[in-house]
Amino acid sequence: SAVISQKPSRDICQRGTSLTIQCQVDSQVTMMFWYRQQPGQSLTLIATANQGSEATYESGFVIDKFPISRPNLTFSTLTVSNMSPEDSSIYLCSVEVGTASTFGSGTRLTVV
Amino acid sequence: GDSVTQMEGPVTLSEEAFLTINCTYTATGYPSLFWYVQYPGEGLQLLLKATKADDKGSNKGFEATYRKETTSFHLEKGSVQVSDSAVYFCALRRSGGSQGNLIFGKGTKLSVKP
């Protein structure tokens, strides 16, 4: 299975600022997925990042708020822009390997 | 649309008790089904999976059987341990095409007391 390195593991940010989260995979993958896990809630897919094309966003998520980069087949970033306290969540990246998904360890974001 | 419904928690059990966490799904086609576990302070880990009807996934003493007739994938363990305390998520992945993303249930928090 793939190994994902995600960073930062946690951060506390001021409202109105932006944070970029990075995920590095130890193998080449076609698609990378970004999820959000709000406090006490399940995971919700934000977007799917394909190398060489724009990310595909799920309903309720927009590129201006969550810009994504996918410069190559092993790396992706998610930026949480113009943050507000409602953005306080755990953000996770994921890749599909075979019939299962592997997740990064998550970024716990607190916006104050 | 596709969805996953799992029993609400929290669930509190004594050590060595029997565990069942119910999970049902709604999906077109033949999805793959998963149980993920999130231990306190850690990331999400795959616990077990089943990719077709009547498959049984198993790992660490946990089992779940893909029941297409009842659209269920209930998680069971015969004797829980304190170390099993975690949040358990049932999930499905749509079949076919490039739709590889997962749809998760809301999670069930399990606490096992010594």
Side-chain angles (χ1 to χ4, degrees):
Chain A
S1 62
V3 176
I4 302 176
S5 299
Q6 182 174 344
K7 60 182 181 182
S9 58
R10 58 179 64 230
D11 207 342
I12 300 173
C13 300
Q14 297 291 322
R15 67 178 67 200
T17 63
S18 298
L19 175 72
T20 295
I21 302 166
Q22 300 179 3
C23 272
Q24 178 76 50
V25 189
D26 68 346
S27 57
Q28 293 184 339
V29 292
T30 304
M31 291 187 288
M32 293 181 72
F33 304 92
W34 287 96
Y35 288 85
R36 181 174 73 182
Q37 185 181 16
Q38 293 179 298
Q41 301 296 315
S42 185
L43 284 77
T44 302
L45 183 68
I46 297 172
T48 302
N50 294 310
Q51 194 272 331
S53 63
E54 283 201 2
T56 304
Y57 289 82
E58 297 298 306
S59 176
F61 298 96
V62 296
I63 188 172
D64 290 346
K65 176 67 176 177
F66 298 101
I68 287 171
S69 77
R70 185 81 202 276
N72 57 54
L73 290 173
T74 64
F75 187 78
S76 180
T77 68
L78 170 77
T79 298
V80 186
S81 303
N82 189 24
M83 288 183 284
S84 66
E86 292 71 35
D87 294 320
S88 297
S89 292
I90 298 173
Y91 294 85
L92 301 101
C93 61
S94 172
V95 300
E96 186 178 307
V97 179
T99 57
S101 293
T102 298
F103 287 82
S105 55
T107 297
R108 183 180 294 273
L109 171 61
T110 303
V111 184
V112 297
Chain B
D2 297 351
S3 65
V4 174
T5 302
Q6 64 182 103
M7 65 185 286
E8 301 250 345
V11 174
T12 302
L13 295 174
S14 297
E15 208 165 19
E16 299 184 2
F18 184 86
L19 169 71
T20 299
I21 301 178
N22 290 336
C23 172
T24 57
Y25 68 91
T26 301
T28 55
Y30 300 91
S32 297
L33 302 174
F34 306 86
W35 277 100
Y36 282 84
V37 58
Q38 189 174 35
Y39 296 103
E42 298 185 17
L44 214 60
Q45 302 174 28
L46 176 67
L47 180 60
L48 53 84
K49 66 182 180 184
T51 58
K52 61 182 187 296
D54 299 326
D55 268 3
K56 177 185 284 188
S58 61
N59 185 25
K60 299 181 180 180
F62 291 89
E63 292 184 340
T65 301
Y66 189 149
R67 301 286 188 199
K68 188 160 179 64
E69 64 275 15
T70 54
T71 62
S72 65
F73 193 55
H74 305 321
L75 182 68
E76 296 182 336
K77 186 173 185 180
S79 176
V80 294
Q81 305 300 312
V82 172
S83 57
D84 294 326
S85 298
V87 181
Y88 293 82
F89 293 93
C90 185
L92 72 81
R93 188 181 69 186
R94 301 179 184 117
S95 56
S98 61
Q99 294 179 338
N101 58 288
L102 293 166
I103 297 171
F104 285 87
K106 291 188 175 182
T108 303
K109 183 175 182 179
L110 170 67
S111 296
V112 181
K113 306 298 183 184

